[in-house]
């Protein structure tokens, strides 16, 4: 049983559709992340939220819109996607800004949403 | 910019044998963290082992250990007594000491044969 839950597990959508990916963490963490995993490429960080504020946005196209209503939930709203956006989207959580001298919380990942854009 | 390189796209090991997965990284930071994550077919990324750069001692977790060579910027993972359940994609990752962003390598697919 993972502490980070993602739904749906699979999603197929057309380029004109609007859909949302959902992530929920039960670990008491204060930071949440969206990563994109494409074949034969390193995981790409898309967004970071800490204490419900977006602290990082890695030049992600505006057709991806994140929302973090509270520290336990994270959404990724999708609209007018392109076929090249097909990928595995991974959500993760961690404890953010732990002092350097102490143990730093690693990321805990969900099972991902496999997105196919047709 | 930090980069993480995994030069072995695929590796194979026989059950009960030992295998080493390679990882090198590039950074100008002096304080950072290194991780190995495992991604089985279930797709969940599972933390295998972590290393703080300021610690000279290599991290170990049961059958998993690392060879951390800070000067060479190398961070290899050794899996001893390999089991069928070890078959997965393995990702090396780097994080600066005061930041939350993880930079991943492209991964190594490990097959475990009987």
């Amino acid at each position: 049983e993972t502490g980070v839950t993602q739904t749906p597990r699979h999603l197929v959508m057309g380029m004109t559709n609007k859909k949302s990916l959902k992530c929920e963490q039960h670990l008491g963490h204060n930071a949440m992340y969206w990563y994109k995993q494409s074949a034969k490429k390193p995981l790409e960080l898309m967004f970071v939220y800490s204490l419900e504020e977006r602290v990082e946005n890695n030049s992600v196209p505006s057709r991806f819109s994140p929302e973090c209503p509270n520290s336990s939930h994270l959404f990724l709203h999708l609209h007018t996607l392109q076929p090249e956006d097909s990928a595995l989207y991974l959500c993760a959580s961690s404890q953010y800004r732990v002092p350097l001298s102490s143990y730093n919380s690693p990321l805990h990942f969900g099972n991902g949403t496999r997105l196919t854009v047709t | 910019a930090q980069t993480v390189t995994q030069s072995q796209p695929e590796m194979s090991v026989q059950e009960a044998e030992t295998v080493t997965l390679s990882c090198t990284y590039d950074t100008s930071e002096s304080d950072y963290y290194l991780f190995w994550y495992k991604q089985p077919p279930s797709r969940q990324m599972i933390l295998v082992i972590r290393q703080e750069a300021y610690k000279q001692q290599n991290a170990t977790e049961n059958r998993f250990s690392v060879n951390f060579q800070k000067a060479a910027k190398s961070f290899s993972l050794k899996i001893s007594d390999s089991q069928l359940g070890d078959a997965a994609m393995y990702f090396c990752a780097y994080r600066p000491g005061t930041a939350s962003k993880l930079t991943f390598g492209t991964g190594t697919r490990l097959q475990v044969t009987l």
Side-chain angles (χ1 to χ4, degrees):
Chain A
E1 181 67 31
T2 174
V4 181
T5 304
Q6 288 187 244
T7 54
R9 190 160 173 81
H10 302 273
L11 178 63
V12 179
M13 60 185 289
M15 290 193 288
T16 59
N17 291 157
K18 290 184 180 181
K19 296 286 185 182
S20 296
L21 309 185
K22 179 182 176 182
C23 177
E24 185 174 358
Q25 60 99 358
H26 311 277
L27 301 169
H29 289 160
N30 60 7
M32 297 186 77
Y33 311 73
W34 280 116
Y35 277 87
K36 176 184 178 182
Q37 185 177 19
S38 304
K40 299 182 180 180
K41 292 176 67 176
L43 272 75
E44 303 170 54
L45 178 64
M46 301 176 72
F47 302 103
V48 181
Y49 274 82
S50 174
L51 299 173
E52 300 143 43
E53 289 189 25
R54 191 187 311 179
V55 297
E56 190 152 352
N57 177 350
N58 278 1
S59 303
V60 178
S62 59
R63 56 186 183 267
F64 295 91
S65 175
E67 178 190 1
C68 187
N70 55 62
S71 59
S72 299
H73 294 85
L74 183 67
F75 296 90
L76 187 62
H77 304 300
L78 316 170
H79 63 97
T80 59
L81 293 191
Q82 304 298 311
E84 60 265 29
D85 296 323
S86 298
L88 180 67
Y89 288 84
L90 290 164
C91 174
S93 70
S94 76
Q95 201 61 18
Y96 190 67
R97 295 212 183 276
V98 176
L100 177 61
S101 60
S102 64
Y103 177 73
N104 215 339
S105 165
L107 268 63
H108 293 255
F109 286 84
N111 287 347
T113 295
R114 173 72 64 190
L115 174 67
T116 304
V117 181
T118 61
Chain B
Q2 296 94 9
T3 57
V4 178
T5 302
Q6 293 179 250
S7 59
Q8 306 154 315
E10 292 189 9
M11 291 284 285
S12 183
V13 63
Q14 280 193 317
E15 198 177 18
E17 296 296 309
T18 296
V19 65
T20 298
L21 308 184
S22 301
C23 173
T24 58
Y25 57 95
D26 186 26
T27 183
S28 58
E29 304 276 342
S30 58
D31 292 304
Y32 50 88
Y33 298 80
L34 296 163
F35 305 85
W36 278 98
Y37 278 88
K38 168 185 176 181
Q39 187 179 39
S42 68
R43 304 183 326 207
Q44 185 190 7
M45 298 279 279
I46 302 166
L47 179 65
V48 174
I49 199 166
R50 57 203 155 217
Q51 175 81 42
E52 293 88 345
Y54 60 85
K55 289 186 177 179
Q56 291 186 336
Q57 187 173 8
N58 288 327
T60 62
E61 287 286 343
N62 301 313
R63 298 182 295 108
F64 298 88
S65 62
V66 298
N67 183 4
F68 174 46
Q69 301 289 326
K70 191 171 184 179
K73 295 180 182 175
S74 171
F75 182 61
S76 60
L77 174 69
K78 186 171 82 171
I79 306 174
S80 304
D81 185 25
S82 297
Q83 300 174 1
L84 294 177
D86 294 334
M89 283 289 290
Y90 285 82
F91 292 92
C92 180
Y94 162 96
R95 182 174 68 191
T98 54
S100 60
K101 178 180 178 179
L102 270 181
T103 300
F104 286 86
T106 51
T108 297
R109 182 173 300 282
L110 177 66
Q111 285 187 315
V112 181
T113 59
L114 294 172

